[in-house]
Short mmCIF file of all heavy atoms in Angstrom, two decimals:
data_model
loop_
_atom_site.label_atom_id
_atom_site.label_comp_id
_atom_site.label_asym_id
_atom_site.label_seq_id
_atom_site.Cartn_x
_atom_site.Cartn_y
_atom_site.Cartn_z
N MET D 187 -24.79 -3.70 -41.64
CA MET D 187 -23.40 -3.27 -41.43
C MET D 187 -23.33 -1.92 -40.71
O MET D 187 -22.45 -1.67 -39.90
CB MET D 187 -22.70 -3.18 -42.80
CG MET D 187 -21.18 -3.36 -42.72
SD MET D 187 -20.71 -4.99 -42.01
CE MET D 187 -18.94 -4.72 -41.87
N LYS D 188 -24.31 -1.05 -40.99
CA LYS D 188 -24.36 0.27 -40.36
C LYS D 188 -24.57 0.13 -38.84
O LYS D 188 -23.96 0.84 -38.04
CB LYS D 188 -25.51 1.07 -40.99
CG LYS D 188 -25.33 2.58 -40.86
CD LYS D 188 -26.46 3.28 -41.61
CE LYS D 188 -26.34 4.79 -41.48
NZ LYS D 188 -27.45 5.46 -42.20
N ILE D 189 -25.45 -0.81 -38.47
CA ILE D 189 -25.75 -1.05 -37.05
C ILE D 189 -24.49 -1.54 -36.33
O ILE D 189 -24.22 -1.15 -35.19
CB ILE D 189 -26.92 -2.06 -36.93
CG1 ILE D 189 -28.22 -1.38 -37.37
CG2 ILE D 189 -27.05 -2.58 -35.51
CD1 ILE D 189 -29.37 -2.35 -37.58
N PHE D 190 -23.70 -2.37 -37.01
CA PHE D 190 -22.47 -2.90 -36.40
C PHE D 190 -21.52 -1.76 -36.03
O PHE D 190 -20.98 -1.72 -34.93
CB PHE D 190 -21.81 -3.86 -37.40
CG PHE D 190 -20.44 -4.32 -36.95
CD1 PHE D 190 -20.32 -5.29 -35.96
CD2 PHE D 190 -19.29 -3.79 -37.52
CE1 PHE D 190 -19.07 -5.72 -35.55
CE2 PHE D 190 -18.04 -4.20 -37.11
CZ PHE D 190 -17.94 -5.17 -36.12
N PHE D 191 -21.35 -0.79 -36.95
CA PHE D 191 -20.46 0.34 -36.68
C PHE D 191 -21.02 1.22 -35.55
O PHE D 191 -20.26 1.74 -34.72
CB PHE D 191 -20.26 1.18 -37.95
CG PHE D 191 -19.23 0.58 -38.87
CD1 PHE D 191 -19.59 0.11 -40.13
CD2 PHE D 191 -17.90 0.47 -38.48
CE1 PHE D 191 -18.65 -0.45 -40.98
CE2 PHE D 191 -16.96 -0.10 -39.33
CZ PHE D 191 -17.33 -0.56 -40.58
N LEU D 192 -22.32 1.35 -35.51
CA LEU D 192 -22.95 2.13 -34.44
C LEU D 192 -22.67 1.49 -33.08
O LEU D 192 -22.33 2.16 -32.11
CB LEU D 192 -24.46 2.23 -34.67
CG LEU D 192 -24.93 3.37 -35.59
CD1 LEU D 192 -26.41 3.20 -35.91
CD2 LEU D 192 -24.69 4.73 -34.94
N LEU D 193 -22.80 0.14 -33.05
CA LEU D 193 -22.57 -0.59 -31.80
C LEU D 193 -21.12 -0.47 -31.36
O LEU D 193 -20.82 -0.26 -30.19
CB LEU D 193 -22.94 -2.08 -31.99
CG LEU D 193 -24.44 -2.39 -31.93
CD1 LEU D 193 -24.68 -3.84 -32.33
CD2 LEU D 193 -24.99 -2.16 -30.53
N VAL D 194 -20.20 -0.58 -32.33
CA VAL D 194 -18.77 -0.51 -32.02
C VAL D 194 -18.42 0.88 -31.49
O VAL D 194 -17.72 1.03 -30.49
CB VAL D 194 -17.92 -0.86 -33.27
CG1 VAL D 194 -16.46 -0.48 -33.05
CG2 VAL D 194 -18.04 -2.34 -33.58
N SER D 195 -18.94 1.93 -32.15
CA SER D 195 -18.62 3.29 -31.71
C SER D 195 -19.26 3.58 -30.34
O SER D 195 -18.65 4.24 -29.50
CB SER D 195 -19.09 4.31 -32.74
OG SER D 195 -20.48 4.14 -32.99
N ALA D 196 -20.46 3.07 -30.13
CA ALA D 196 -21.11 3.25 -28.84
C ALA D 196 -20.31 2.56 -27.73
O ALA D 196 -20.10 3.12 -26.66
CB ALA D 196 -22.53 2.70 -28.89
N GLY D 197 -19.85 1.36 -28.03
CA GLY D 197 -19.04 0.63 -27.07
C GLY D 197 -17.72 1.32 -26.79
O GLY D 197 -17.24 1.36 -25.66
N LEU D 198 -17.14 1.92 -27.84
CA LEU D 198 -15.87 2.64 -27.69
C LEU D 198 -16.05 3.87 -26.80
O LEU D 198 -15.23 4.13 -25.92
CB LEU D 198 -15.36 3.05 -29.08
CG LEU D 198 -13.88 3.41 -29.17
CD1 LEU D 198 -13.02 2.17 -29.00
CD2 LEU D 198 -13.58 4.07 -30.51
N VAL D 199 -17.15 4.62 -27.04
CA VAL D 199 -17.44 5.80 -26.22
C VAL D 199 -17.63 5.39 -24.77
O VAL D 199 -17.10 6.00 -23.83
CB VAL D 199 -18.69 6.53 -26.76
CG1 VAL D 199 -19.20 7.56 -25.75
CG2 VAL D 199 -18.38 7.22 -28.09
N TRP D 200 -18.38 4.29 -24.54
CA TRP D 200 -18.63 3.80 -23.18
C TRP D 200 -17.32 3.41 -22.50
O TRP D 200 -17.09 3.72 -21.34
CB TRP D 200 -19.59 2.60 -23.26
CG TRP D 200 -19.76 1.90 -21.94
CD1 TRP D 200 -20.56 2.29 -20.92
CD2 TRP D 200 -19.10 0.71 -21.50
NE1 TRP D 200 -20.46 1.42 -19.87
CE2 TRP D 200 -19.57 0.43 -20.20
CE3 TRP D 200 -18.17 -0.16 -22.09
CZ2 TRP D 200 -19.13 -0.68 -19.49
CZ3 TRP D 200 -17.74 -1.26 -21.36
CH2 TRP D 200 -18.21 -1.51 -20.08
N TRP D 201 -16.43 2.75 -23.28
CA TRP D 201 -15.15 2.30 -22.73
C TRP D 201 -14.26 3.48 -22.35
O TRP D 201 -13.64 3.49 -21.29
CB TRP D 201 -14.45 1.41 -23.76
CG TRP D 201 -13.11 0.90 -23.29
CD1 TRP D 201 -12.88 -0.14 -22.46
CD2 TRP D 201 -11.82 1.44 -23.62
NE1 TRP D 201 -11.53 -0.29 -22.25
CE2 TRP D 201 -10.87 0.66 -22.95
CE3 TRP D 201 -11.40 2.50 -24.42
CZ2 TRP D 201 -9.50 0.92 -23.06
CZ3 TRP D 201 -10.05 2.76 -24.53
CH2 TRP D 201 -9.11 1.97 -23.85
N ILE D 202 -14.25 4.52 -23.22
CA ILE D 202 -13.43 5.72 -22.95
C ILE D 202 -13.94 6.43 -21.70
O ILE D 202 -13.16 6.81 -20.82
CB ILE D 202 -13.45 6.66 -24.18
CG1 ILE D 202 -12.62 6.05 -25.33
CG2 ILE D 202 -12.88 8.03 -23.82
CD1 ILE D 202 -12.84 6.74 -26.67
N LEU D 203 -15.27 6.58 -21.59
CA LEU D 203 -15.86 7.23 -20.42
C LEU D 203 -15.54 6.47 -19.14
O LEU D 203 -15.21 7.05 -18.12
CB LEU D 203 -17.38 7.35 -20.59
CG LEU D 203 -17.86 8.42 -21.58
CD1 LEU D 203 -19.37 8.30 -21.78
CD2 LEU D 203 -17.51 9.82 -21.11
N ARG D 204 -15.61 5.14 -19.23
CA ARG D 204 -15.34 4.31 -18.06
C ARG D 204 -13.87 4.43 -17.65
O ARG D 204 -13.55 4.53 -16.48
CB ARG D 204 -15.67 2.83 -18.38
CG ARG D 204 -15.87 2.00 -17.14
CD ARG D 204 -15.94 0.54 -17.48
NE ARG D 204 -14.66 0.06 -18.03
CZ ARG D 204 -14.34 -1.21 -18.20
NH1 ARG D 204 -15.22 -2.13 -17.90
NH2 ARG D 204 -13.18 -1.57 -18.68
N THR D 205 -12.98 4.45 -18.65
CA THR D 205 -11.54 4.56 -18.37
C THR D 205 -11.22 5.92 -17.74
O THR D 205 -10.45 5.99 -16.78
CB THR D 205 -10.74 4.39 -19.68
OG1 THR D 205 -11.13 3.17 -20.30
CG2 THR D 205 -9.25 4.37 -19.41
N LEU D 206 -11.83 6.99 -18.26
CA LEU D 206 -11.60 8.32 -17.71
C LEU D 206 -12.09 8.40 -16.27
O LEU D 206 -11.44 8.99 -15.41
CB LEU D 206 -12.32 9.37 -18.56
CG LEU D 206 -11.67 9.71 -19.90
CD1 LEU D 206 -12.59 10.60 -20.72
CD2 LEU D 206 -10.32 10.39 -19.71
N ARG D 207 -13.26 7.80 -16.00
CA ARG D 207 -13.82 7.84 -14.65
C ARG D 207 -12.97 7.04 -13.66
O ARG D 207 -12.76 7.45 -12.53
CB ARG D 207 -15.24 7.26 -14.69
CG ARG D 207 -16.06 7.60 -13.45
CD ARG D 207 -17.47 7.07 -13.58
NE ARG D 207 -17.46 5.62 -13.77
CZ ARG D 207 -18.51 4.91 -14.21
NH1 ARG D 207 -19.61 5.52 -14.53
NH2 ARG D 207 -18.43 3.61 -14.36
N ASP D 208 -12.46 5.88 -14.11
CA ASP D 208 -11.67 5.03 -13.23
C ASP D 208 -10.30 5.63 -12.93
O ASP D 208 -9.76 5.44 -11.84
CB ASP D 208 -11.49 3.65 -13.86
CG ASP D 208 -12.79 2.85 -13.80
OD1 ASP D 208 -13.74 3.32 -13.15
OD2 ASP D 208 -12.85 1.78 -14.42
N SER D 209 -9.72 6.36 -13.90
CA SER D 209 -8.37 6.88 -13.73
C SER D 209 -8.36 8.17 -12.92
O SER D 209 -7.29 8.63 -12.54
CB SER D 209 -7.72 7.13 -15.09
OG SER D 209 -8.46 8.09 -15.80
N ARG D 210 -9.55 8.72 -12.67
CA ARG D 210 -9.61 9.96 -11.89
C ARG D 210 -9.14 9.70 -10.46
O ARG D 210 -9.65 8.79 -9.80
CB ARG D 210 -11.05 10.48 -11.88
CG ARG D 210 -11.14 11.93 -11.42
CD ARG D 210 -12.55 12.45 -11.60
NE ARG D 210 -13.53 11.65 -10.86
CZ ARG D 210 -14.85 11.78 -10.96
NH1 ARG D 210 -15.35 12.62 -11.80
NH2 ARG D 210 -15.66 11.03 -10.25
N PRO D 211 -8.18 10.44 -9.99
CA PRO D 211 -7.69 10.19 -8.62
C PRO D 211 -8.73 10.54 -7.58
O PRO D 211 -9.39 11.56 -7.66
CB PRO D 211 -6.47 11.11 -8.50
CG PRO D 211 -6.71 12.19 -9.51
CD PRO D 211 -7.51 11.57 -10.62
N SER D 212 -8.88 9.66 -6.61
CA SER D 212 -9.87 9.87 -5.56
C SER D 212 -9.33 10.86 -4.53
O SER D 212 -8.25 10.68 -4.00
CB SER D 212 -10.23 8.54 -4.90
OG SER D 212 -9.10 7.96 -4.34
N THR D 213 -10.10 11.89 -4.27
CA THR D 213 -9.66 12.92 -3.32
C THR D 213 -10.02 12.55 -1.88
O THR D 213 -9.42 13.05 -0.95
CB THR D 213 -10.30 14.28 -3.67
OG1 THR D 213 -11.70 14.09 -3.83
CG2 THR D 213 -9.71 14.85 -4.95
N ALA D 214 -11.01 11.66 -1.74
CA ALA D 214 -11.46 11.30 -0.40
C ALA D 214 -10.61 10.14 0.12
O ALA D 214 -10.93 8.98 -0.10
CB ALA D 214 -12.93 10.91 -0.42
N LYS D 215 -9.54 10.48 0.80
CA LYS D 215 -8.69 9.44 1.40
C LYS D 215 -9.20 9.11 2.80
O LYS D 215 -9.48 10.02 3.57
CB LYS D 215 -7.24 9.92 1.49
CG LYS D 215 -6.46 9.74 0.20
CD LYS D 215 -5.00 10.11 0.43
CE LYS D 215 -4.18 9.91 -0.83
NZ LYS D 215 -2.77 10.29 -0.64
N PRO D 216 -9.33 7.83 3.10
CA PRO D 216 -9.77 7.48 4.45
C PRO D 216 -8.69 7.82 5.49
O PRO D 216 -7.52 7.48 5.32
CB PRO D 216 -9.99 5.97 4.37
CG PRO D 216 -9.15 5.52 3.24
CD PRO D 216 -9.06 6.66 2.28
N LYS D 217 -9.12 8.51 6.53
CA LYS D 217 -8.17 8.88 7.58
C LYS D 217 -7.83 7.66 8.43
O LYS D 217 -8.72 6.96 8.89
CB LYS D 217 -8.76 9.98 8.47
CG LYS D 217 -8.64 11.36 7.85
CD LYS D 217 -9.15 12.42 8.82
CE LYS D 217 -9.01 13.80 8.22
NZ LYS D 217 -9.55 14.83 9.13
N ILE D 218 -6.55 7.46 8.64
CA ILE D 218 -6.12 6.35 9.49
C ILE D 218 -5.96 6.88 10.91
O ILE D 218 -5.09 7.70 11.20
CB ILE D 218 -4.80 5.74 8.98
CG1 ILE D 218 -5.00 5.21 7.57
CG2 ILE D 218 -4.34 4.63 9.92
CD1 ILE D 218 -3.70 4.93 6.84
N LYS D 219 -6.85 6.42 11.78
CA LYS D 219 -6.82 6.88 13.16
C LYS D 219 -5.79 6.09 13.95
O LYS D 219 -5.54 4.92 13.68
CB LYS D 219 -8.19 6.71 13.80
CG LYS D 219 -9.19 7.76 13.35
CD LYS D 219 -10.50 7.58 14.10
CE LYS D 219 -11.49 8.68 13.73
NZ LYS D 219 -12.78 8.48 14.40
N ASN D 220 -5.21 6.76 14.94
CA ASN D 220 -4.28 6.10 15.83
C ASN D 220 -5.06 5.22 16.80
O ASN D 220 -5.90 5.70 17.53
CB ASN D 220 -3.47 7.16 16.59
CG ASN D 220 -2.23 6.57 17.22
OD1 ASN D 220 -1.82 5.46 16.87
ND2 ASN D 220 -1.63 7.29 18.13
N MET D 221 -4.78 3.92 16.75
CA MET D 221 -5.54 2.98 17.55
C MET D 221 -4.78 2.63 18.84
O MET D 221 -3.57 2.49 18.83
CB MET D 221 -5.80 1.69 16.77
CG MET D 221 -6.54 1.91 15.46
SD MET D 221 -8.26 2.43 15.66
CE MET D 221 -9.05 0.84 15.92
N VAL D 222 -5.54 2.52 19.92
CA VAL D 222 -4.96 2.08 21.19
C VAL D 222 -5.75 0.86 21.66
O VAL D 222 -6.93 0.71 21.33
CB VAL D 222 -4.99 3.19 22.26
CG1 VAL D 222 -4.05 4.33 21.89
CG2 VAL D 222 -6.39 3.71 22.48
N SER D 223 -5.10 0.01 22.44
CA SER D 223 -5.78 -1.19 22.92
C SER D 223 -6.25 -0.99 24.36
O SER D 223 -5.55 -0.38 25.17
CB SER D 223 -4.85 -2.41 22.83
OG SER D 223 -3.70 -2.20 23.60
N CYS D 224 -7.41 -1.52 24.66
CA CYS D 224 -7.98 -1.45 26.00
C CYS D 224 -7.11 -2.29 26.94
O CYS D 224 -6.78 -3.44 26.64
CB CYS D 224 -9.41 -1.98 25.97
SG CYS D 224 -10.19 -2.13 27.58
N ASP D 225 -6.74 -1.70 28.10
CA ASP D 225 -5.89 -2.41 29.05
C ASP D 225 -6.67 -3.49 29.81
O ASP D 225 -6.08 -4.29 30.53
CB ASP D 225 -5.27 -1.42 30.04
CG ASP D 225 -4.12 -0.65 29.40
OD1 ASP D 225 -3.84 -0.91 28.21
OD2 ASP D 225 -3.52 0.20 30.07
N TYR D 226 -7.98 -3.50 29.67
CA TYR D 226 -8.79 -4.51 30.36
C TYR D 226 -9.11 -5.70 29.45
O TYR D 226 -8.89 -6.85 29.82
CB TYR D 226 -10.08 -3.86 30.88
CG TYR D 226 -10.93 -4.80 31.72
CD1 TYR D 226 -10.59 -5.07 33.04
CD2 TYR D 226 -12.06 -5.40 31.18
CE1 TYR D 226 -11.36 -5.93 33.80
CE2 TYR D 226 -12.83 -6.26 31.94
CZ TYR D 226 -12.48 -6.52 33.25
OH TYR D 226 -13.25 -7.38 34.01
N CYS D 227 -9.62 -5.44 28.25
CA CYS D 227 -10.04 -6.53 27.38
C CYS D 227 -9.18 -6.66 26.11
O CYS D 227 -9.29 -7.65 25.39
CB CYS D 227 -11.51 -6.36 26.99
SG CYS D 227 -11.82 -4.99 25.87
N GLY D 228 -8.33 -5.65 25.85
CA GLY D 228 -7.46 -5.74 24.68
C GLY D 228 -8.10 -5.28 23.38
O GLY D 228 -7.48 -5.37 22.33
N LEU D 229 -9.31 -4.79 23.45
CA LEU D 229 -10.01 -4.32 22.25
C LEU D 229 -9.35 -3.04 21.73
O LEU D 229 -8.97 -2.18 22.52
CB LEU D 229 -11.47 -4.04 22.58
CG LEU D 229 -12.38 -3.70 21.40
CD1 LEU D 229 -12.85 -4.97 20.70
CD2 LEU D 229 -13.60 -2.91 21.87
N HIS D 230 -9.19 -2.96 20.41
CA HIS D 230 -8.58 -1.77 19.82
C HIS D 230 -9.64 -0.72 19.53
O HIS D 230 -10.63 -1.00 18.87
CB HIS D 230 -7.83 -2.14 18.55
CG HIS D 230 -6.51 -2.80 18.83
ND1 HIS D 230 -6.43 -4.12 19.22
CD2 HIS D 230 -5.25 -2.32 18.82
CE1 HIS D 230 -5.16 -4.42 19.41
NE2 HIS D 230 -4.42 -3.36 19.18
N VAL D 231 -9.41 0.48 20.04
CA VAL D 231 -10.34 1.59 19.83
C VAL D 231 -9.54 2.81 19.34
O VAL D 231 -8.37 2.94 19.65
CB VAL D 231 -11.11 1.95 21.13
CG1 VAL D 231 -12.14 0.89 21.47
CG2 VAL D 231 -10.16 2.15 22.29
N PRO D 232 -10.18 3.71 18.58
CA PRO D 232 -9.51 4.94 18.16
C PRO D 232 -9.07 5.75 19.38
O PRO D 232 -9.78 5.82 20.38
CB PRO D 232 -10.57 5.69 17.36
CG PRO D 232 -11.52 4.64 16.90
CD PRO D 232 -11.53 3.60 17.98
N GLU D 233 -7.89 6.39 19.26
CA GLU D 233 -7.31 7.10 20.41
C GLU D 233 -8.23 8.19 20.93
O GLU D 233 -8.30 8.43 22.13
CB GLU D 233 -5.96 7.70 19.98
CG GLU D 233 -5.09 8.07 21.15
CD GLU D 233 -3.71 8.53 20.72
OE1 GLU D 233 -3.54 8.91 19.55
OE2 GLU D 233 -2.81 8.50 21.56
N ASP D 234 -8.96 8.86 20.01
CA ASP D 234 -9.83 9.96 20.46
C ASP D 234 -11.14 9.47 21.06
O ASP D 234 -11.92 10.25 21.55
CB ASP D 234 -10.10 10.93 19.31
CG ASP D 234 -10.67 10.24 18.08
OD1 ASP D 234 -10.67 9.00 18.06
OD2 ASP D 234 -11.09 10.94 17.15
N GLU D 235 -11.39 8.16 21.03
CA GLU D 235 -12.63 7.62 21.60
C GLU D 235 -12.35 6.79 22.86
O GLU D 235 -13.29 6.34 23.51
CB GLU D 235 -13.35 6.74 20.57
CG GLU D 235 -14.00 7.55 19.46
CD GLU D 235 -14.61 6.66 18.39
OE1 GLU D 235 -15.05 5.53 18.71
OE2 GLU D 235 -14.64 7.08 17.22
N CYS D 236 -11.09 6.60 23.20
CA CYS D 236 -10.78 5.74 24.34
C CYS D 236 -10.94 6.51 25.65
O CYS D 236 -10.95 7.73 25.69
CB CYS D 236 -9.37 5.18 24.22
SG CYS D 236 -8.08 6.38 24.61
N ILE D 237 -11.10 5.75 26.74
CA ILE D 237 -11.21 6.33 28.08
C ILE D 237 -9.83 6.25 28.72
O ILE D 237 -9.25 5.17 28.82
CB ILE D 237 -12.24 5.55 28.93
CG1 ILE D 237 -13.58 5.39 28.19
CG2 ILE D 237 -12.44 6.21 30.28
CD1 ILE D 237 -14.32 6.67 27.90
N ARG D 238 -9.30 7.41 29.14
CA ARG D 238 -7.99 7.44 29.78
C ARG D 238 -8.16 7.57 31.30
O ARG D 238 -8.90 8.41 31.78
CB ARG D 238 -7.18 8.64 29.26
CG ARG D 238 -6.72 8.45 27.83
CD ARG D 238 -6.02 9.71 27.35
NE ARG D 238 -5.73 9.63 25.92
CZ ARG D 238 -4.63 9.07 25.41
NH1 ARG D 238 -3.74 8.53 26.21
NH2 ARG D 238 -4.44 9.06 24.12
N GLN D 239 -7.45 6.69 31.99
CA GLN D 239 -7.54 6.71 33.44
C GLN D 239 -6.24 6.16 34.03
O GLN D 239 -5.85 5.03 33.73
CB GLN D 239 -8.73 5.85 33.90
CG GLN D 239 -9.02 5.97 35.39
CD GLN D 239 -10.28 5.23 35.77
OE1 GLN D 239 -11.38 5.69 35.53
NE2 GLN D 239 -10.12 4.05 36.36
N ASN D 240 -5.59 6.97 34.87
CA ASN D 240 -4.34 6.60 35.55
C ASN D 240 -3.28 6.09 34.57
O ASN D 240 -2.58 5.12 34.84
CB ASN D 240 -4.61 5.53 36.62
CG ASN D 240 -5.62 6.01 37.65
OD1 ASN D 240 -5.67 7.20 37.99
ND2 ASN D 240 -6.45 5.11 38.13
N GLY D 241 -3.19 6.73 33.41
CA GLY D 241 -2.20 6.34 32.42
C GLY D 241 -2.55 5.10 31.63
O GLY D 241 -1.73 4.60 30.86
N HIS D 242 -3.77 4.58 31.81
CA HIS D 242 -4.22 3.42 31.06
C HIS D 242 -5.29 3.83 30.06
O HIS D 242 -5.99 4.82 30.25
CB HIS D 242 -4.80 2.36 32.01
CG HIS D 242 -3.77 1.77 32.94
ND1 HIS D 242 -2.92 0.76 32.57
CD2 HIS D 242 -3.47 2.08 34.23
CE1 HIS D 242 -2.13 0.46 33.60
NE2 HIS D 242 -2.44 1.25 34.61
N ASN D 243 -5.41 3.04 29.01
CA ASN D 243 -6.44 3.27 28.00
C ASN D 243 -7.49 2.17 28.09
O ASN D 243 -7.15 0.99 28.21
CB ASN D 243 -5.83 3.27 26.60
CG ASN D 243 -4.78 4.35 26.45
OD1 ASN D 243 -4.99 5.50 26.84
ND2 ASN D 243 -3.63 4.00 25.89
N TYR D 244 -8.76 2.57 28.01
CA TYR D 244 -9.84 1.61 28.07
C TYR D 244 -10.83 1.88 26.94
O TYR D 244 -10.99 3.01 26.49
CB TYR D 244 -10.56 1.67 29.42
CG TYR D 244 -9.65 1.37 30.59
CD1 TYR D 244 -9.13 2.40 31.36
CD2 TYR D 244 -9.28 0.07 30.88
CE1 TYR D 244 -8.28 2.14 32.41
CE2 TYR D 244 -8.43 -0.21 31.94
CZ TYR D 244 -7.92 0.83 32.70
OH TYR D 244 -7.07 0.57 33.74
N CYS D 245 -11.54 0.81 26.53
CA CYS D 245 -12.51 0.95 25.44
C CYS D 245 -13.81 1.56 25.93
O CYS D 245 -14.58 2.11 25.16
CB CYS D 245 -12.76 -0.40 24.78
SG CYS D 245 -13.59 -1.60 25.84
N SER D 246 -14.08 1.44 27.23
CA SER D 246 -15.35 1.95 27.77
C SER D 246 -15.15 2.32 29.23
O SER D 246 -14.18 1.90 29.88
CB SER D 246 -16.45 0.89 27.64
OG SER D 246 -16.09 -0.27 28.34
N LYS D 247 -16.11 3.09 29.75
CA LYS D 247 -16.07 3.48 31.18
C LYS D 247 -16.19 2.25 32.08
O LYS D 247 -15.60 2.21 33.16
CB LYS D 247 -17.21 4.46 31.48
CG LYS D 247 -16.94 5.87 30.98
CD LYS D 247 -18.12 6.79 31.31
CE LYS D 247 -17.87 8.19 30.78
NZ LYS D 247 -19.04 9.08 30.99
N GLU D 248 -16.98 1.28 31.61
CA GLU D 248 -17.17 0.07 32.41
C GLU D 248 -15.84 -0.64 32.66
O GLU D 248 -15.54 -1.07 33.78
CB GLU D 248 -18.14 -0.89 31.70
CG GLU D 248 -19.58 -0.45 31.72
CD GLU D 248 -19.88 0.62 30.69
OE1 GLU D 248 -19.22 0.62 29.63
OE2 GLU D 248 -20.74 1.48 30.95
N HIS D 249 -15.03 -0.76 31.62
CA HIS D 249 -13.75 -1.44 31.76
C HIS D 249 -12.77 -0.63 32.59
O HIS D 249 -11.96 -1.20 33.33
CB HIS D 249 -13.18 -1.77 30.37
CG HIS D 249 -13.89 -2.93 29.74
ND1 HIS D 249 -13.55 -3.41 28.50
CD2 HIS D 249 -14.91 -3.69 30.20
CE1 HIS D 249 -14.37 -4.45 28.22
NE2 HIS D 249 -15.20 -4.62 29.23
N ALA D 250 -12.85 0.69 32.51
CA ALA D 250 -11.99 1.54 33.34
C ALA D 250 -12.33 1.34 34.82
O ALA D 250 -11.45 1.26 35.66
CB ALA D 250 -12.17 3.00 32.94
N GLN D 251 -13.63 1.23 35.10
CA GLN D 251 -14.08 1.04 36.48
C GLN D 251 -13.72 -0.37 36.96
O GLN D 251 -13.29 -0.55 38.09
CB GLN D 251 -15.60 1.25 36.58
CG GLN D 251 -15.98 2.73 36.50
CD GLN D 251 -17.48 2.94 36.34
OE1 GLN D 251 -18.23 1.99 36.18
NE2 GLN D 251 -17.90 4.18 36.36
N LYS D 252 -13.92 -1.37 36.11
CA LYS D 252 -13.63 -2.77 36.51
C LYS D 252 -12.14 -2.96 36.78
O LYS D 252 -11.77 -3.68 37.70
CB LYS D 252 -14.08 -3.72 35.39
CG LYS D 252 -15.56 -4.01 35.42
CD LYS D 252 -15.92 -4.99 34.30
CE LYS D 252 -17.42 -5.27 34.30
NZ LYS D 252 -17.80 -6.15 33.17
N ASP D 253 -11.29 -2.32 35.98
CA ASP D 253 -9.85 -2.50 36.14
C ASP D 253 -9.33 -1.81 37.39
O ASP D 253 -8.41 -2.26 38.03
CB ASP D 253 -9.12 -1.99 34.89
CG ASP D 253 -7.76 -2.64 34.72
OD1 ASP D 253 -7.65 -3.84 35.06
OD2 ASP D 253 -6.82 -1.97 34.28
N SER D 254 -9.95 -0.66 37.75
CA SER D 254 -9.47 0.09 38.90
C SER D 254 -10.10 -0.44 40.19
O SER D 254 -9.54 -0.30 41.25
CB SER D 254 -9.82 1.57 38.74
OG SER D 254 -11.22 1.76 38.67
N GLY D 255 -11.27 -1.06 40.08
CA GLY D 255 -11.97 -1.47 41.27
C GLY D 255 -11.93 -2.95 41.54
O GLY D 255 -11.23 -3.79 41.18
ZN1 ZN T 421 -12.26 -3.03 27.13
#
């Protein structure tokens, strides 16, 4: 009977610790980047990674060159 109470209390401690850990608010929020679509292939790329040319957005230099040439 003593072992049963030990198991129950151990399980209770584990459950409380798990609940406290899960309820902790996460500070690391994923940043949502502004996405733009490539004017050549339509692929969506982050705005800060896209290639800008003549007012158009492209996913790569190759597509910028293919669209202009
Ligand atoms: Zn593209």
Side-chain angles (χ1 to χ4, degrees):
M187 205 60 187
K188 204 176 179 180
I189 289 168
F190 173 77
F191 280 115
L192 274 171
L193 281 171
V194 167
S195 56
L198 198 71
V199 167
W200 172 80
W201 179 80
I202 288 167
L203 285 173
R204 200 190 65 167
T205 306
L206 285 172
R207 196 177 59 196
D208 287 352
S209 62
R210 195 173 58 189
S212 59
T213 50
K215 278 186 178 178
K217 279 185 179 178
I218 299 165
K219 285 184 176 177
N220 197 15
M221 302 291 277
V222 292
S223 59
C224 174
D225 284 0
Y226 185 77
C227 70
L229 187 82
H230 284 77
V231 288
E233 198 174 19
D234 55 350
E235 287 176 30
C236 75
I237 309 296
R238 288 176 188 274
Q239 189 174 283
N240 302 326
H242 295 278
N243 300 314
Y244 300 101
C245 67
S246 60
K247 284 179 181 176
E248 287 79 31
H249 285 180
Q251 286 169 354
K252 279 182 181 176
D253 204 36
S254 61

